[in-house]
Amino acid sequence: MWYWLFKYVFMGPLLTLLGRPKVHGLEYVPRSGAAILASNHLAVADSFYLPLAVSRRITFLAKAEYFTGTGLKGWFQRWFYTAAGQVPIDRTDADSAKSALTTAQRILTEGKLLGMYPEGTRSPDGRLYKGKTGLARLALETGMPVIPVAMIGTDVVNPPGSKMWRFGQVEVKFGKPMDFTRFEGLAGNRFIERAVIDEVMYELMRLSGQEYVDLYAADVKEGTAVAQPAARLPEAAAG
């Protein structure tokens, strides 16, 4: 109930006023049944504007830190993210990654839409970064279609690092569902998983118009990698 109240009563009208969202390709989102929505990630606002664009409920996997705060602030944050349709996952080690995959599989088995950010974190500079293979493994193990989603302008409405929201123009672009059943039985093969996620990232690059950087965004944020000049994924990655 809280999810729908947030969407249509508490936050939806305000988000619409601020971002004047335009939605393209909504026909590619199935009216029923499970699918993985793979989105680029520019701002916290992505997790609000994407659900606003789709009539069905979307469940996101969110970092556990959003749910572990203490005191009144921690309680409110935990309640807010739960009401917004987000499920906590631990991302600290291999066992945690396996648990997150199990949670994602359960959500899809229930016939729901699962929202994922293959970059793993928000872009540090507005460019598109290398995708992590967890999404690829999930798609291969479940056989579910992957729908690429480009979020555009959310970092203007909700600038990273700022608590202020601004007026702007948000676009949400859905691409054609991507079917990876041709790789059935090859989940766990790191070369196949890399090929799958690169194909997804190519579609995100094409839809969003972002420049691509062949580094993990988290490494750039942590200073363990230096952002390089933008590159473009080869079209071969898309097929």
Side-chain angles (χ1 to χ4, degrees):
M1 180 185 72
W2 283 112
Y3 179 92
W4 304 110
L5 286 175
F6 267 115
K7 181 173 179 177
Y8 292 115
V9 179
F10 298 141
M11 294 190 67
L14 177 60
L15 291 170
T16 300
L17 177 65
L18 287 171
R20 299 173 293 122
K22 292 184 178 180
V23 181
H24 311 272
L26 190 58
E27 66 273 14
Y28 296 131
V29 180
R31 295 184 178 181
S32 62
I36 302 168
L37 300 180
S39 173
N40 62 331
H41 200 12
L42 296 174
V44 171
D46 296 329
S47 297
F48 300 113
Y49 278 102
L50 178 51
L52 191 64
V54 180
S55 60
R56 293 180 60 191
R57 177 169 181 155
I58 301 174
T59 300
F60 289 92
L61 300 182
K63 58 184 180 181
E65 290 87 339
Y66 289 154
F67 300 82
T68 56
T70 58
L72 182 61
K73 181 180 179 181
W75 174 87
F76 178 79
Q77 183 170 271
R78 184 164 53 252
W79 171 79
F80 177 80
Y81 281 104
T82 300
Q86 305 208 20
V87 175
I89 58 167
D90 188 345
R91 307 182 299 179
T92 55
D93 54 33
D95 289 338
S96 299
K98 183 177 180 180
S99 177
L101 182 63
T102 300
T103 300
Q105 290 173 331
R106 174 181 57 79
I107 292 168
L108 291 170
T109 299
E110 294 171 353
K112 298 177 179 179
L113 293 177
L114 176 67
M116 295 185 72
Y117 299 113
E119 291 168 277
T121 187
R122 282 170 285 166
S123 170
D125 56 15
R127 296 189 290 180
L128 184 69
Y129 281 78
K130 189 175 183 178
K132 296 191 174 184
T133 57
L135 185 148
R137 176 167 294 200
L138 180 63
L140 293 174
E141 289 191 352
T142 63
M144 297 298 176
V146 177
I147 301 172
V149 188
M151 306 299 296
I152 301 171
T154 50
D155 54 340
V156 175
V157 172
N158 173 215
S162 172
K163 295 182 180 180
M164 299 297 294
W165 287 55
R166 304 170 182 172
F167 289 99
Q169 177 74 72
V170 170
E171 288 188 74
V172 184
K173 293 184 177 181
F174 296 94
K176 294 181 180 179
M178 304 175 74
D179 181 1
F180 296 107
T181 55
R182 65 187 185 276
F183 297 124
E184 183 178 0
L186 294 176
N189 182 310
R190 62 189 181 94
F191 297 106
I192 296 297
E193 290 178 354
R194 174 47 56 190
V196 167
I197 196 61
D198 281 351
E199 188 172 335
V200 172
M201 301 313 291
Y202 178 85
E203 284 302 303
L204 289 179
M205 181 183 71
R206 188 183 64 81
L207 282 171
S208 68
Q210 290 172 280
E211 295 179 328
Y212 177 77
V213 180
D214 194 29
L215 293 171
Y216 292 117
D219 291 342
V220 174
K221 286 183 175 181
E222 293 169 4
T224 57
V226 179
Q228 300 173 342
R232 295 191 69 84
L233 283 166
E235 293 199 26

